[in-house]
Amino acid sequence: MEVSRRGLLAGAAVGGGLLVAWGLWPREYGVPLSAGRGEWAYSAWLKLARDGVLTVAVPQLEMGQGITTLIPQVVAAEMGADWRQVAVEPAPVSGAYANLPLAAKWAPLWLPSLPVLADDPRKLPLRRWAGEHGFMATADGTSLAAYEASARAAAAAARAMLCMAAADRWGVSAEECDARGGLVFHGRKHLSFAALAEDAAGYDPPDPPPLRPAGWSESAGPVAAEDTVPYPRLDLPAKVDGSFQFAGDVRLPGMLYAAIRHGPIGDTELQGFDEEAGARVRGLRHVVKARGWIAAVADTWWAAEEALKAMAPVWKTTGRADSERIAAALEMALTRGEASRIETRGTGDRDRGAPSVTHRYDIAPATHATLETASATARLSDGKLELWVAAQAPAEAKAAAAKAVGLATADTVLYPMAAGGSFDRRLEHDHAIEAAVIAQAAGAPVQLVWSRWQEHVAGRPRAPLSALASAWTAREDGSPRALRLRVAMPATTTEFGRRLFGNKTAQAALAVTGDAPDPLAFEGAAGPYAIPDIAIDHVPVNVGLPSGRMRGNAHAWSAFVVESFVDELAARVGREPLSFRIGMLGGDARLAELLQRAARLGEWDGGADRSGKGIACWRIGDPATGGAVARIACVATARAGEGGVRVERLSAAVDLGRIVNLDIVRQQIEGGLIFGTGLATGSTLQYAAGLPTASRLADLALPVLADSPEIVLDIVAGEGDPADPGEIGVAVAAPAIANALYSATGLRLRRLPLLSEGL
């Protein structure tokens, strides 16, 4: 039955639900793209110009993952455009680009009282909220799931409009025309998109648009040296020649530069500073103070930084973050804290008695170590705020900055900039708020850049945790019949949600999070194995350290705990780790095949006789619930030496379903494995008196080029929706390396980073 707007309103009024009905009715957000001279906007997704250039809107942050190639590629392939004439434009904040899958996944964060009302992208309350808030966050590998269908539909509509315009010129049926390579064809006749752009913009496309039979896909087979990449990255040439613009590259007339000092981590208040010493620094223009930070504004960033050094601010801090207190809080929570069960399979651990085996695993806080530190430029004039910032959640950053300077969100413009790495760091927007406040005080455009030291002080590291993994095993082969994970860690995603959606400060978010369990704290921990009974318990603990999202998120620590523990279960009964795993994968034959492929690729020898080979596998997504599923199996070759862990080789077999861009898949898997290697061997922060003990990248034991392992990939052609390649490599790297070190040394390392406590 078709329901009209008038019919809905009338029915709702009779039933007394007029306001509710109107509140849930879907909104139209128009075409947010602005067409320039000689351009025509066909939809919210694309513009076509008189010179034939197709401009595609990208509503996701480009942070190295290649999204400014993937979405234009989807459009170009569906539309039949010439890739050489495709351009990219960052999409403005608009409800037209709402990320519905991510909004559904994060419903417990923005609708904590009744997440069930919005836990599905098809539900009206979710669609209305995401549209009204312009929720366009880039996170959790949801870009293709959120936008491929819409981008294809827009491209198909534009192709139909071009065919209609060409058909009218030729006096033929539009259905007899097709588009490829930037041309519309009918038999031997053809017209370019450029020649048709203006006329085609005046046609109404068919509804629904005539989609091609299937979305674009590329073969997963090996690529020969002479093969060309069908859709090379659009951002690559500019990144190679240095012309690509990141957030820190913005330059405005009359712009000043700001450096900042944040107080120690805890409840911090600025007590004083040497104003006269700062004033002696040439070029200093302003000093801007807040409760927990102080900024210097000068003609150059270096002058501002030197002024801050001279001013030597003094702080009063209570509850300072300290690594020893963090460890003590985790120990108390793990051994004595009250747990909440966040996931159960089968009967859990009910009536099980004492487990057959229990091991403890610990993970230290880790920093994102982005190449580009937090950077934001703000200009406030005539009651309008303009922001140039790299933001994974641009609508939330825009609203928070506007509120900080007393403006309405409608009076604020955010210009999306690319990020020089993010790894989920740019989901936070403290620097955007600070830049707006500083620009308001200075009365001039200001660019704020955090130093590396401030990135460590005020960043939101991966949460620390301690976990007890327990299993009840079968006597005959040692395989687990039941598994229990007891995890003590901050309610890190809940805390993050308070900051992102509630605009809370770090300390306020810690204070209001309380003792409630985190619904996403140990996502994926049930793993891919067909273990009949599983129980996962979360013990929330406030360790006094604000924490946040990081590449891999819960899958990264879940995989380390589960895959290390599975390896220990195999060793306990003398079972070979590969066959032990395959024996538990009856419900996922695809992952079992990947284990065998990785074993062949990595010349797996069982990990015996100090070979230094370790194996691990992981899955992101549940085949039983539908949607995209990413699978990976990895054999690592690693050894311990005087300089720490030496990872020599990572051999991985990967299944990501349909592959949209094989080149980007390879880049992301390789990058994820390297990032995961960095988390396995370093990246961590220790704290004393509220401050990190590491101030430079060189202090983080990150793998440099000489430390980077050889990476060999076998990307397998899969079925189903395309899965994100950016997270899965991060998850599998650390356990594979830990298991390899056990093979090499005979010692089991249960703490990240590995070798942090020596051998």
Side-chain angles (χ1 to χ4, degrees):
M1 179 180 68
E2 187 173 323
V3 181
S4 69
R5 182 186 300 265
R6 180 173 180 174
L8 176 70
L9 293 178
V14 170
L18 174 61
L19 294 180
V20 173
W22 176 248
L24 292 179
W25 187 264
R27 295 291 193 262
E28 295 292 336
Y29 297 99
V31 178
L33 291 182
S34 298
R37 181 178 298 175
E39 276 188 327
W40 293 271
Y42 282 52
S43 68
W45 287 95
L46 59 92
K47 300 183 292 186
L48 193 57
R50 184 173 283 116
D51 59 5
V53 172
L54 170 67
T55 301
V56 179
V58 176
Q60 298 277 270
L61 173 65
E62 176 59 69
M63 47 189 176
Q65 84 280 34
I67 196 61
T68 49
T69 295
L70 283 174
I71 290 180
Q73 176 187 341
V74 167
V75 170
E78 182 66 43
M79 190 171 170
D82 183 347
W83 189 241
R84 297 168 300 178
Q85 290 190 287
V86 175
V88 178
E89 181 176 307
V93 174
S94 169
Y97 309 107
N99 187 337
L100 301 178
L102 186 61
K105 183 175 182 180
W106 284 2
L109 305 184
W110 60 267
L111 191 63
S113 57
L114 282 171
V116 70
L117 294 179
D119 58 359
D120 188 300
R122 295 167 295 184
K123 291 186 175 180
L124 280 177
L126 178 141
R127 300 175 75 89
R128 178 62 192 276
W129 175 87
E132 288 291 303
H133 287 77
F135 181 69
M136 297 162 45
T138 308
D140 276 3
T142 55
S143 295
L144 283 176
Y147 300 116
E148 184 183 26
S150 297
R152 282 190 67 199
R159 172 167 45 82
M161 294 160 73
L162 290 163
C163 288
M164 292 161 70
D168 280 355
R169 291 193 187 185
W170 294 325
V172 299
S173 169
E175 288 74 16
E176 298 173 3
C177 301
D178 192 18
R180 59 185 184 274
L183 301 170
V184 176
F185 289 88
H186 181 269
R188 295 185 178 181
K189 299 189 293 289
H190 65 268
L191 286 168
S192 69
F193 284 10
L196 296 166
E198 183 174 6
D199 287 351
Y203 286 80
D204 292 325
D207 187 15
L211 291 168
R212 297 190 189 275
W216 175 265
S217 64
E218 293 185 10
S219 170
V223 179
E226 64 273 13
D227 289 347
T228 59
V229 176
Y231 290 95
R233 288 185 65 143
L234 292 176
D235 56 348
L236 192 57
K239 286 181 175 177
V240 169
D241 67 22
S243 61
F244 194 87
Q245 294 288 295
F246 295 96
D249 294 323
V250 173
R251 296 294 181 267
L252 301 176
M255 188 175 80
L256 300 175
Y257 297 84
I260 198 165
R261 287 290 185 279
H262 299 91
I265 301 165
D267 187 7
T268 290
E269 184 174 3
L270 179 66
Q271 294 293 288
F273 59 98
D274 191 338
E275 191 169 3
E276 292 184 1
R280 289 194 288 270
V281 175
R282 179 178 296 180
L284 179 68
R285 301 298 179 187
H286 305 276
V287 176
V288 183
K289 301 176 291 181
R291 188 178 190 275
W293 55 264
I294 181 171
V297 183
D299 295 335
T300 66
W301 184 87
W302 186 251
E305 179 70 9
E306 290 300 301
L308 283 174
K309 290 179 183 177
M311 288 189 286
V314 177
W315 311 90
K316 177 183 177 182
T317 307
T318 57
R320 296 187 177 201
D322 181 271
S323 289
E324 290 186 1
R325 284 199 288 272
I326 291 172
L330 290 174
E331 174 73 23
M332 177 67 72
L334 186 67
T335 57
R336 304 181 189 179
E338 183 177 345
S340 296
R341 185 139 297 176
I342 58 176
E343 187 170 352
T344 304
R345 179 191 295 172
T347 61
D349 59 351
R350 192 175 65 210
D351 302 325
R352 284 282 176 182
S356 307
V357 58
T358 298
H359 290 302
R360 174 173 172 167
Y361 302 89
D362 295 281
I363 298 179
T367 185
H368 306 77
T370 59
L371 188 61
E372 181 188 37
T373 60
S375 307
T377 303
R379 178 167 61 191
L380 190 65
S381 62
D382 300 326
K384 301 287 185 181
L385 171 65
E386 296 173 283
L387 284 170
W388 290 260
V389 64
Q392 285 181 249
E396 288 70 25
K398 175 182 173 180
K403 184 177 181 180
V405 294
L407 291 178
T409 304
D411 293 325
T412 304
V413 178
L414 186 146
Y415 303 104
M417 303 298 298
S422 176
F423 317 121
D424 279 358
R425 176 66 183 90
R426 302 299 166 233
L427 280 168
E428 309 284 349
H429 49 247
D430 310 47
H431 56 303
I433 296 172
E434 293 165 353
V437 171
I438 294 167
Q440 184 181 51
V446 171
Q447 182 174 95
L448 170 67
V449 177
W450 289 12
S451 67
R452 180 65 57 185
W453 168 236
Q454 291 307 296
E455 188 74 59
H456 289 181
V457 172
R460 303 288 174 257
R462 176 190 66 191
L465 68 88
S466 295
L468 290 175
S470 302
W472 289 261
T473 60
R475 291 184 179 180
E476 62 274 12
D477 61 2
S479 60
R481 294 292 178 261
L483 171 70
R484 180 178 66 210
L485 299 175
R486 177 181 169 90
V487 187
M489 67 179 296
T492 182
T493 48
T494 302
E495 175 193 335
F496 157 75
R498 303 285 188 185
R499 293 195 301 267
L500 184 68
F501 298 114
N503 200 24
K504 299 288 185 184
T505 65
Q507 289 301 310
L510 278 177
V512 301
T513 298
D515 298 326
D518 188 334
L520 300 174
F522 228 56
E523 181 188 4
Y529 299 112
I531 301 173
D533 300 319
I534 293 179
I536 301 175
D537 295 336
H538 178 210
V539 186
V541 53
N542 184 348
V543 298
L545 175 68
S547 59
R549 309 278 291 173
M550 178 177 280
R551 186 178 185 180
N553 290 296
H555 287 281
W557 56 73
S558 298
F560 175 69
V561 172
V562 171
E563 283 297 287
S564 296
F565 188 52
V566 166
D567 226 58
E568 296 208 58
L569 293 179
R572 178 173 173 266
V573 293
R575 296 277 304 277
E576 188 270 325
L578 172 62
S579 60
F580 187 76
R581 285 175 166 82
I582 290 177
M584 296 189 292
L585 284 172
D588 197 333
R590 194 65 168 167
L591 189 52
E593 180 190 349
L594 293 181
L595 276 167
Q596 294 171 323
R597 285 175 174 265
R600 290 193 294 270
L601 206 62
E603 300 174 351
W604 174 250
D605 58 2
D609 300 324
R610 300 294 190 263
S611 68
K613 291 184 184 294
I615 196 165
C617 64
W618 200 247
R619 183 180 74 196
I620 297 179
D622 186 351
T625 60
V629 179
R631 297 174 174 89
I632 191 168
C634 180
V635 172
T637 304
R639 302 187 184 278
E642 292 184 2
V645 179
R646 177 70 178 177
V647 183
E648 298 171 356
R649 179 173 168 139
L650 296 171
S651 304
V654 189
D655 178 359
L656 298 168
R658 175 167 57 89
I659 294 171
V660 176
N661 188 305
L662 181 61
D663 200 38
I664 289 177
V665 163
R666 288 187 175 276
Q667 294 166 20
Q668 286 297 290
I669 295 294
E670 290 175 0
L673 289 169
I674 293 293
F675 192 86
T677 299
L679 291 177
T681 61
S683 305
T684 57
L685 294 174
Q686 297 294 315
Y687 296 88
L691 294 173
T693 58
S695 61
R696 304 177 302 156
L697 282 177
D699 300 329
L700 299 178
L702 297 171
V704 297
L705 188 59
D707 301 323
S708 296
E710 176 189 4
I711 296 178
V712 184
L713 296 182
D714 179 8
I715 299 173
V716 183
E719 299 177 352
D721 296 333
D724 174 64
E727 312 280 310
I728 193 75
V730 179
V732 81
I737 294 168
N739 295 338
L741 289 174
Y742 172 73
S743 168
T745 66
L747 296 174
R748 180 63 64 178
L749 303 172
R750 302 189 182 104
R751 179 180 176 84
L752 287 184
L754 304 169
L755 299 185
S756 56
E757 296 176 329
L759 283 175

